[in-house]
Amino acid sequence: MKWIVAYLGTGLAFGLLDALWLRWAGPNFYRPRLGDILAESFRMGPALVFYLLYIAGVVWFAVRPALAGDIAAAALNGALLGGLCYATYDLTSQAVLKQWSTTVTVADIAWGAFATAMAAAAGAWAIRAFA
């Protein structure tokens, strides 16, 4: 039961945060900086696969070590994991694409660390509250 609660708590928090961020950042931050390399429309399939796998990774690597409900430890682990995961994507993109914004790289890494920290903390909190 703890695993389900952790997954749902983490997933709800991350999904809400990322939806809010992307709703604003898509047209106001990413499109002006990345322009033509962005798809014309959002592709739900790959996004869904990412979210399902990423949330499982956050639960395993950030929330699991804090299964006793240590919210601070989950947040720290989440920040480290999120920063590393987002850095992998952004720095690779910056290394191999002709057009990639350093501003996007820095903002994405910071966002990944913050959003993943908050989601992992929410997962740990959910365990404490509901499991």
Side-chain angles (χ1 to χ4, degrees), residues 7-24:
Y7 191 90
L8 292 175
T10 303
L12 288 171
F14 191 81
L16 178 62
L17 286 170
D18 219 34
L20 291 171
W21 168 251
L22 291 174
R23 185 171 302 278
W24 174 83

PDB file of all heavy atoms in Angstrom, residues 7-24:
ATOM      1  N   TYR A   7       3.454   6.539  -5.031  1.00  0.00           N
ATOM      2  CA  TYR A   7       3.372   6.810  -6.472  1.00  0.00           C
ATOM      3  C   TYR A   7       2.289   7.850  -6.773  1.00  0.00           C
ATOM      4  O   TYR A   7       2.520   8.799  -7.536  1.00  0.00           O
ATOM      5  CB  TYR A   7       3.104   5.504  -7.238  1.00  0.00           C
ATOM      6  CG  TYR A   7       3.278   5.656  -8.727  1.00  0.00           C
ATOM      7  CD1 TYR A   7       4.511   5.420  -9.321  1.00  0.00           C
ATOM      8  CD2 TYR A   7       2.216   6.040  -9.538  1.00  0.00           C
ATOM      9  CE1 TYR A   7       4.684   5.562 -10.692  1.00  0.00           C
ATOM     10  CE2 TYR A   7       2.376   6.186 -10.903  1.00  0.00           C
ATOM     11  CZ  TYR A   7       3.615   5.948 -11.476  1.00  0.00           C
ATOM     12  OH  TYR A   7       3.770   6.104 -12.835  1.00  0.00           O
ATOM     13  N   LEU A   8       1.129   7.673  -6.169  1.00  0.00           N
ATOM     14  CA  LEU A   8       0.027   8.615  -6.425  1.00  0.00           C
ATOM     15  C   LEU A   8       0.337   9.999  -5.888  1.00  0.00           C
ATOM     16  O   LEU A   8       0.092  11.012  -6.574  1.00  0.00           O
ATOM     17  CB  LEU A   8      -1.277   8.083  -5.840  1.00  0.00           C
ATOM     18  CG  LEU A   8      -1.851   6.845  -6.506  1.00  0.00           C
ATOM     19  CD1 LEU A   8      -3.077   6.350  -5.748  1.00  0.00           C
ATOM     20  CD2 LEU A   8      -2.179   7.114  -7.967  1.00  0.00           C
ATOM     21  N   GLY A   9       0.877  10.088  -4.676  1.00  0.00           N
ATOM     22  CA  GLY A   9       1.215  11.391  -4.110  1.00  0.00           C
ATOM     23  C   GLY A   9       2.279  12.110  -4.918  1.00  0.00           C
ATOM     24  O   GLY A   9       2.168  13.306  -5.210  1.00  0.00           O
ATOM     25  N   THR A  10       3.301  11.374  -5.306  1.00  0.00           N
ATOM     26  CA  THR A  10       4.381  11.938  -6.107  1.00  0.00           C
ATOM     27  C   THR A  10       3.868  12.344  -7.485  1.00  0.00           C
ATOM     28  O   THR A  10       4.150  13.448  -7.970  1.00  0.00           O
ATOM     29  CB  THR A  10       5.524  10.915  -6.254  1.00  0.00           C
ATOM     30  OG1 THR A  10       5.981  10.538  -4.951  1.00  0.00           O
ATOM     31  CG2 THR A  10       6.684  11.475  -7.051  1.00  0.00           C
ATOM     32  N   GLY A  11       3.096  11.454  -8.101  1.00  0.00           N
ATOM     33  CA  GLY A  11       2.584  11.723  -9.449  1.00  0.00           C
ATOM     34  C   GLY A  11       1.629  12.896  -9.504  1.00  0.00           C
ATOM     35  O   GLY A  11       1.710  13.724 -10.425  1.00  0.00           O
ATOM     36  N   LEU A  12       0.733  12.989  -8.531  1.00  0.00           N
ATOM     37  CA  LEU A  12      -0.201  14.121  -8.509  1.00  0.00           C
ATOM     38  C   LEU A  12       0.539  15.444  -8.343  1.00  0.00           C
ATOM     39  O   LEU A  12       0.249  16.421  -9.033  1.00  0.00           O
ATOM     40  CB  LEU A  12      -1.239  13.941  -7.401  1.00  0.00           C
ATOM     41  CG  LEU A  12      -2.288  12.866  -7.643  1.00  0.00           C
ATOM     42  CD1 LEU A  12      -3.123  12.637  -6.381  1.00  0.00           C
ATOM     43  CD2 LEU A  12      -3.182  13.238  -8.816  1.00  0.00           C
ATOM     44  N   ALA A  13       1.497  15.465  -7.439  1.00  0.00           N
ATOM     45  CA  ALA A  13       2.250  16.696  -7.216  1.00  0.00           C
ATOM     46  C   ALA A  13       3.062  17.081  -8.449  1.00  0.00           C
ATOM     47  O   ALA A  13       3.028  18.235  -8.893  1.00  0.00           O
ATOM     48  CB  ALA A  13       3.167  16.534  -6.004  1.00  0.00           C
ATOM     49  N   PHE A  14       3.787  16.119  -9.010  1.00  0.00           N
ATOM     50  CA  PHE A  14       4.613  16.431 -10.175  1.00  0.00           C
ATOM     51  C   PHE A  14       3.749  16.819 -11.373  1.00  0.00           C
ATOM     52  O   PHE A  14       4.058  17.778 -12.082  1.00  0.00           O
ATOM     53  CB  PHE A  14       5.528  15.259 -10.540  1.00  0.00           C
ATOM     54  CG  PHE A  14       6.578  15.643 -11.552  1.00  0.00           C
ATOM     55  CD1 PHE A  14       7.725  16.289 -11.148  1.00  0.00           C
ATOM     56  CD2 PHE A  14       6.404  15.370 -12.900  1.00  0.00           C
ATOM     57  CE1 PHE A  14       8.691  16.671 -12.075  1.00  0.00           C
ATOM     58  CE2 PHE A  14       7.356  15.737 -13.831  1.00  0.00           C
ATOM     59  CZ  PHE A  14       8.516  16.395 -13.411  1.00  0.00           C
ATOM     60  N   GLY A  15       2.671  16.081 -11.583  1.00  0.00           N
ATOM     61  CA  GLY A  15       1.786  16.389 -12.704  1.00  0.00           C
ATOM     62  C   GLY A  15       1.196  17.783 -12.605  1.00  0.00           C
ATOM     63  O   GLY A  15       1.158  18.526 -13.593  1.00  0.00           O
ATOM     64  N   LEU A  16       0.743  18.164 -11.418  1.00  0.00           N
ATOM     65  CA  LEU A  16       0.180  19.497 -11.229  1.00  0.00           C
ATOM     66  C   LEU A  16       1.231  20.582 -11.442  1.00  0.00           C
ATOM     67  O   LEU A  16       1.003  21.548 -12.169  1.00  0.00           O
ATOM     68  CB  LEU A  16      -0.428  19.620  -9.834  1.00  0.00           C
ATOM     69  CG  LEU A  16      -1.008  20.977  -9.473  1.00  0.00           C
ATOM     70  CD1 LEU A  16      -2.160  21.342 -10.403  1.00  0.00           C
ATOM     71  CD2 LEU A  16      -1.476  20.989  -8.029  1.00  0.00           C
ATOM     72  N   LEU A  17       2.387  20.417 -10.808  1.00  0.00           N
ATOM     73  CA  LEU A  17       3.457  21.414 -10.974  1.00  0.00           C
ATOM     74  C   LEU A  17       3.890  21.538 -12.426  1.00  0.00           C
ATOM     75  O   LEU A  17       4.033  22.644 -12.955  1.00  0.00           O
ATOM     76  CB  LEU A  17       4.660  21.035 -10.107  1.00  0.00           C
ATOM     77  CG  LEU A  17       4.521  21.248  -8.618  1.00  0.00           C
ATOM     78  CD1 LEU A  17       5.681  20.600  -7.873  1.00  0.00           C
ATOM     79  CD2 LEU A  17       4.442  22.729  -8.297  1.00  0.00           C
ATOM     80  N   ASP A  18       4.105  20.408 -13.089  1.00  0.00           N
ATOM     81  CA  ASP A  18       4.585  20.456 -14.470  1.00  0.00           C
ATOM     82  C   ASP A  18       3.525  21.014 -15.415  1.00  0.00           C
ATOM     83  O   ASP A  18       3.848  21.738 -16.356  1.00  0.00           O
ATOM     84  CB  ASP A  18       5.055  19.075 -14.917  1.00  0.00           C
ATOM     85  CG  ASP A  18       6.303  19.150 -15.781  1.00  0.00           C
ATOM     86  OD1 ASP A  18       7.153  20.034 -15.545  1.00  0.00           O
ATOM     87  OD2 ASP A  18       6.440  18.322 -16.686  1.00  0.00           O
ATOM     88  N   ALA A  19       2.259  20.705 -15.161  1.00  0.00           N
ATOM     89  CA  ALA A  19       1.183  21.267 -15.990  1.00  0.00           C
ATOM     90  C   ALA A  19       1.154  22.786 -15.864  1.00  0.00           C
ATOM     91  O   ALA A  19       1.031  23.498 -16.874  1.00  0.00           O
ATOM     92  CB  ALA A  19      -0.161  20.666 -15.598  1.00  0.00           C
ATOM     93  N   LEU A  20       1.272  23.290 -14.644  1.00  0.00           N
ATOM     94  CA  LEU A  20       1.283  24.740 -14.442  1.00  0.00           C
ATOM     95  C   LEU A  20       2.487  25.380 -15.129  1.00  0.00           C
ATOM     96  O   LEU A  20       2.358  26.408 -15.802  1.00  0.00           O
ATOM     97  CB  LEU A  20       1.287  25.076 -12.944  1.00  0.00           C
ATOM     98  CG  LEU A  20       0.011  24.744 -12.189  1.00  0.00           C
ATOM     99  CD1 LEU A  20       0.227  24.917 -10.687  1.00  0.00           C
ATOM    100  CD2 LEU A  20      -1.145  25.601 -12.674  1.00  0.00           C
ATOM    101  N   TRP A  21       3.650  24.770 -14.954  1.00  0.00           N
ATOM    102  CA  TRP A  21       4.874  25.298 -15.564  1.00  0.00           C
ATOM    103  C   TRP A  21       4.781  25.289 -17.096  1.00  0.00           C
ATOM    104  O   TRP A  21       5.042  26.287 -17.747  1.00  0.00           O
ATOM    105  CB  TRP A  21       6.077  24.487 -15.103  1.00  0.00           C
ATOM    106  CG  TRP A  21       7.334  24.750 -15.886  1.00  0.00           C
ATOM    107  CD1 TRP A  21       7.920  23.903 -16.770  1.00  0.00           C
ATOM    108  CD2 TRP A  21       8.148  25.925 -15.860  1.00  0.00           C
ATOM    109  NE1 TRP A  21       9.044  24.474 -17.307  1.00  0.00           N
ATOM    110  CE2 TRP A  21       9.212  25.719 -16.752  1.00  0.00           C
ATOM    111  CE3 TRP A  21       8.076  27.129 -15.169  1.00  0.00           C
ATOM    112  CZ2 TRP A  21      10.202  26.665 -16.976  1.00  0.00           C
ATOM    113  CZ3 TRP A  21       9.075  28.083 -15.396  1.00  0.00           C
ATOM    114  CH2 TRP A  21      10.115  27.845 -16.278  1.00  0.00           C
ATOM    115  N   LEU A  22       4.391  24.155 -17.659  1.00  0.00           N
ATOM    116  CA  LEU A  22       4.374  24.041 -19.115  1.00  0.00           C
ATOM    117  C   LEU A  22       3.295  24.906 -19.765  1.00  0.00           C
ATOM    118  O   LEU A  22       3.478  25.396 -20.878  1.00  0.00           O
ATOM    119  CB  LEU A  22       4.225  22.580 -19.532  1.00  0.00           C
ATOM    120  CG  LEU A  22       5.437  21.704 -19.226  1.00  0.00           C
ATOM    121  CD1 LEU A  22       5.138  20.246 -19.529  1.00  0.00           C
ATOM    122  CD2 LEU A  22       6.671  22.187 -19.967  1.00  0.00           C
ATOM    123  N   ARG A  23       2.186  25.096 -19.061  1.00  0.00           N
ATOM    124  CA  ARG A  23       1.133  25.963 -19.602  1.00  0.00           C
ATOM    125  C   ARG A  23       1.654  27.388 -19.784  1.00  0.00           C
ATOM    126  O   ARG A  23       1.359  28.054 -20.759  1.00  0.00           O
ATOM    127  CB  ARG A  23      -0.094  25.953 -18.701  1.00  0.00           C
ATOM    128  CG  ARG A  23      -1.252  26.742 -19.267  1.00  0.00           C
ATOM    129  CD  ARG A  23      -2.521  26.554 -18.496  1.00  0.00           C
ATOM    130  NE  ARG A  23      -2.960  25.174 -18.407  1.00  0.00           N
ATOM    131  CZ  ARG A  23      -3.639  24.527 -19.353  1.00  0.00           C
ATOM    132  NH1 ARG A  23      -3.952  25.139 -20.461  1.00  0.00           N
ATOM    133  NH2 ARG A  23      -4.005  23.280 -19.179  1.00  0.00           N
ATOM    134  N   TRP A  24       2.469  27.834 -18.834  1.00  0.00           N
ATOM    135  CA  TRP A  24       3.044  29.174 -18.967  1.00  0.00           C
ATOM    136  C   TRP A  24       4.305  29.154 -19.827  1.00  0.00           C
ATOM    137  O   TRP A  24       4.470  29.965 -20.731  1.00  0.00           O
ATOM    138  CB  TRP A  24       3.406  29.759 -17.585  1.00  0.00           C
ATOM    139  CG  TRP A  24       4.122  31.060 -17.755  1.00  0.00           C
ATOM    140  CD1 TRP A  24       3.544  32.282 -17.959  1.00  0.00           C
ATOM    141  CD2 TRP A  24       5.539  31.259 -17.826  1.00  0.00           C
ATOM    142  NE1 TRP A  24       4.530  33.223 -18.135  1.00  0.00           N
ATOM    143  CE2 TRP A  24       5.759  32.626 -18.057  1.00  0.00           C
ATOM    144  CE3 TRP A  24       6.639  30.415 -17.718  1.00  0.00           C
ATOM    145  CZ2 TRP A  24       7.030  33.172 -18.170  1.00  0.00           C
ATOM    146  CZ3 TRP A  24       7.915  30.959 -17.837  1.00  0.00           C
ATOM    147  CH2 TRP A  24       8.099  32.313 -18.051  1.00  0.00           C
TER     148      TRP A  24
END
